[in-house]
């Protein structure tokens, strides 16, 4: 080890999975000093940013488990590609409800079952890269919670708007500063959230409404200032999701069912995906794009296009990632990569979930070793580590 240049050691270790790096820290004091150094963690983050992966979470209600699956950085792009790619996972023995994701961290609400049914309790922040999680101070509200990241000061903040039309305030908790109490801040308009959020370049966005008016809330994580963004396409009938579209805010809608009074039954709408991209925050200038999904590719694997949802858009290729979040073991589980400009769909089967459950997918996930929750002065715990490996295999590329 002493004869190997440090930059070469960084390059070797940076090619290892984060789980292996965590184990390697226990080999010797010398290895620990290298792998825990600020220089190496920054170097690893830089390398990891160039090879983002598709990360999955699965909620297994019957077994009271919540699992993280990390896919390989590269999905094979040719039909002849081998299907021997590995993906390890961590496990939490508790029921969690997903609430937010930003810069490699995840925000959940821990669920507790009582005689009255599922009852919200406390928030949990997870870092699957290091297998760490912390419990946040209790917040007595049933509102949606969002996670934001300020890339300038490298600070995470948790935002919980009051979900009533009569009160215009929100709660904020800053992570990593020893802050153990939620701060109450004024919000410019009483509103109710209507969807999950997305954090892009230090701005946290989420869909909301005031009575029958729909809008997008923009929260600047650093300054903690709010502003409202309007859009004529925002309404209650659309299946809308906020996404990071090549570094800009995107709003995407995809096919949905509608009641056809002529036949007295539900029918599918046109298999069309629409994307609105916010080109200018101040002018609230939007660009609109429309693409038709080749629905027959979903039918080929008995997956109704109406049952899929948009997980996100890849930054490198601009592919829209779709999937059915409800996995019924032992049936196949598919992820679809739709390239709108080329009108091409790649279908990837994910193997190894092992049991049925609710699945979420996160596009362009980057492993980050710089975020160590041990210093946060909160209730810190480690994941249960599992040595199981799973495989991703490409079934079709047409």
């Amino acid at each position: 080890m002493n004869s190997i240049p440090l930059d070469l050691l960084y390059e070797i270790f940076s090619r290892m999975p984060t789980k292996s790096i965590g184990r390697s820290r226990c080999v010797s004091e010398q290895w620990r000093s290298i792998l825990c150094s600020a220089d190496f963690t920054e170097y690893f983050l830089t390398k990891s940013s160039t090879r983002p992966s598709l990360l999955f979470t699965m909620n297994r209600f019957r077994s009271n488990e919540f699992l993280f699956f990390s896919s390989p950085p590269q999905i094979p792009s040719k039909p002849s590609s081998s299907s021997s790619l590995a993906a390890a996972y961590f496990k939490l023995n508790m029921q969690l409800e997903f609430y937010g994701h930003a810069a490699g961290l995840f925000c959940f609400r821990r669920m507790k079952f009582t005689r009255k049914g599922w009852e919200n309790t406390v928030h949990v922040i997870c870092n699957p890269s290091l297998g760490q999680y912390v419990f946040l101070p209790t917040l007595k509200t049933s509102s949606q919670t969002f996670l934001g990241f300020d890339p300038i000061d490298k600070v995470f903040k948790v935002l919980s708007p009051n979900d009533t039309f009569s009160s215009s305030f929100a709660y904020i908790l800053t992570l990593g500063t020893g802050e153990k109490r939620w701060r109450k801040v004024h919000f410019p308009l009483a509103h109710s959230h209507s969807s999950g959020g997305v954090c892009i370049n230090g701005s946290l966005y989420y869909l909301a409404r005031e009575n029958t008016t729909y809008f997008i809330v923009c929260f600047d994580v650093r300054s903690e200032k709010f502003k409202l963004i309007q859009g004529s396409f925002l309404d209650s009938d659309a299946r809308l999701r906020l996404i990071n579209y090549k570094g800009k805010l995107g709003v995407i809608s995809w096919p949905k069912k509608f009641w056809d009074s002529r036949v007295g039954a539900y029918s599918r709408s046109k298999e069309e995906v629409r994307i609105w991209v916010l080109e200018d925050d101040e002018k609230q200038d939007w660009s609109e794009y429309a693409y038709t999904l080749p629905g027959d590719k979903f039918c080929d694997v008995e997956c109704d296009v109406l049952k899929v949802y948009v997980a996100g858009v890849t930054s490198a290729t601009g592919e829209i990632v779709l999937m059915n979040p409800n996995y019924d073991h032992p049936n196949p589980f598919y992820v679809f990569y739709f390239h709108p400009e080329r009108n091409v769909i790649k279908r990837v089967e994910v193997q190894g979930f092992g049991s049925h459950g609710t699945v979420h997918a996160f596009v362009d996930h980057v492993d980050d070793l710089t975020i160590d929750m041990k210093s946060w002065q909160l209730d810190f715990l480690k994941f249960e580590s599992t040595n199981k490996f799973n495989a991703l295999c490409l079934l079709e590329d047409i």
Side-chain angles (χ1 to χ4, degrees):
M1 285 283 290
N2 293 330
S3 62
I4 303 176
L6 195 59
D7 56 349
L8 181 56
L9 286 175
Y10 283 1
E11 178 63 26
I12 294 172
F13 283 125
S14 69
R15 296 174 182 268
M16 297 169 57
T18 53
K19 190 174 182 180
S20 299
I21 291 176
R23 291 174 177 173
S24 299
R25 288 175 171 178
C26 303
V27 171
S28 67
E29 285 298 325
Q30 184 183 17
W31 282 37
R32 180 173 179 81
S33 64
I34 294 173
L35 298 178
C36 291
S37 68
D39 289 341
F40 173 73
T41 54
E42 288 291 345
Y43 182 82
F44 184 89
L45 176 59
T46 302
K47 296 285 288 186
S48 181
S49 299
T50 65
R51 53 189 189 199
S53 63
L54 181 65
L55 186 137
F56 298 94
T57 65
M58 171 178 266
N59 203 338
R60 293 179 180 169
F61 286 99
R62 290 188 180 180
S63 58
N64 196 40
E65 294 177 332
F66 197 94
L67 302 100
F68 289 83
F69 295 79
S70 180
S71 78
Q74 298 295 330
I75 300 296
S77 59
K78 297 181 180 179
S80 58
S81 298
S82 172
S83 60
S84 59
L85 303 176
Y89 69 74
F90 288 106
K91 178 171 68 175
L92 285 172
N93 291 316
M94 66 179 75
Q95 287 296 335
L96 298 173
E97 181 182 6
F98 171 71
Y99 267 29
H101 169 255
L105 294 192
F106 294 80
C107 179
F108 301 94
R109 176 164 286 178
R110 185 178 182 182
M111 308 298 292
K112 183 179 180 181
F113 189 75
T114 66
R115 292 182 179 180
K116 297 180 180 179
W118 289 105
E119 186 177 273
N120 292 327
T121 53
V122 69
H123 296 92
V124 182
I125 302 294
C126 300
N127 182 357
S129 297
L130 293 176
Q132 299 175 341
Y133 64 100
V134 295
F135 292 106
L136 301 187
T138 302
L139 180 64
K140 295 181 179 180
T141 176
S142 59
S143 299
Q144 173 81 19
T145 301
F146 306 99
L147 180 63
F149 177 68
D150 169 25
I152 298 176
D153 293 335
K154 309 294 184 183
V155 171
F156 289 88
K157 293 182 182 180
V158 184
L159 173 70
S160 183
N162 190 45
D163 193 14
T164 65
F165 292 122
S166 58
S167 301
S168 55
F169 64 88
Y171 294 100
I172 297 175
L173 182 69
T174 303
L175 303 177
T177 61
E179 190 172 293
K180 294 187 177 182
R181 297 186 62 181
W182 293 84
R183 292 178 285 112
K184 191 174 181 179
V185 297
H186 175 71
F187 186 82
L189 180 68
H191 69 290
S192 174
H193 65 81
S194 62
S195 83
V198 59
C199 188
I200 306 172
N201 299 325
S203 295
L204 176 61
Y205 303 90
Y206 65 91
L207 281 169
R209 67 185 178 94
E210 190 228 356
N211 296 324
T212 59
T213 302
Y214 286 78
F215 52 89
I216 296 171
V217 175
C218 176
F219 171 70
D220 186 275
V221 180
R222 193 164 190 243
S223 67
E224 299 186 357
K225 294 182 179 180
F226 296 89
K227 67 179 176 182
L228 307 181
I229 299 175
Q230 306 288 340
S232 58
F233 53 88
L234 299 174
D235 62 73
S236 59
D237 295 327
R239 296 175 70 190
L240 298 179
R241 181 177 175 85
L242 302 188
I243 59 171
N244 184 336
Y245 188 79
K246 302 179 181 180
K248 298 180 180 180
L249 173 65
V251 183
I252 191 166
S253 71
W254 64 101
K256 62 180 183 295
K257 294 180 181 179
F258 68 94
W259 181 259
D260 191 338
S261 57
R262 295 172 299 177
V263 297
Y266 281 101
S267 300
R268 69 175 61 193
S269 60
K270 187 178 180 181
E271 293 167 350
E272 186 177 72
V273 171
R274 287 186 175 270
I275 304 176
W276 294 268
V277 180
L278 184 61
E279 303 292 352
D280 189 305
D281 272 21
E282 298 301 324
K283 298 180 181 179
Q284 300 196 15
D285 181 26
W286 295 89
S287 296
E288 182 180 354
Y289 307 90
Y291 309 101
T292 300
L293 285 173
D296 58 314
K297 303 307 176 186
F298 297 88
C299 297
D300 286 348
V301 292
E302 299 181 357
C303 179
D304 191 337
V305 68
L306 298 178
K307 294 181 180 179
V308 301
Y309 90 109
V310 176
V313 175
T314 61
S315 58
T317 61
E319 291 173 296
I320 301 171
V321 182
L322 305 104
M323 51 169 270
N324 184 345
N326 300 310
Y327 173 58
D328 187 14
H329 181 74
N331 294 328
F333 181 85
Y334 295 102
V335 175
F336 302 90
Y337 288 78
F338 174 55
H339 198 296
E341 284 81 11
R342 290 162 39 197
N343 196 33
V344 171
I345 278 190
K346 287 188 297 188
R347 187 178 70 217
V348 177
E349 180 182 355
V350 181
Q351 299 177 341
F353 285 150
S355 179
H356 63 274
T358 302
V359 180
H360 288 275
F362 302 90
V363 179
D364 290 343
H365 173 76
V366 173
D367 288 319
D368 191 347
L369 301 177
T370 64
I371 308 165
D372 193 342
M373 297 180 175
K374 292 180 181 179
S375 62
W376 284 11
Q377 301 178 36
L378 294 170
D379 293 335
F380 167 80
L381 293 163
K382 292 282 289 184
F383 284 46
E384 177 180 337
S385 180
T386 307
N387 293 324
K388 183 176 179 181
F389 287 86
N390 311 284
L392 292 176
C393 60
L394 183 70
L395 298 185
E396 189 174 352
D397 184 13
I398 52 179

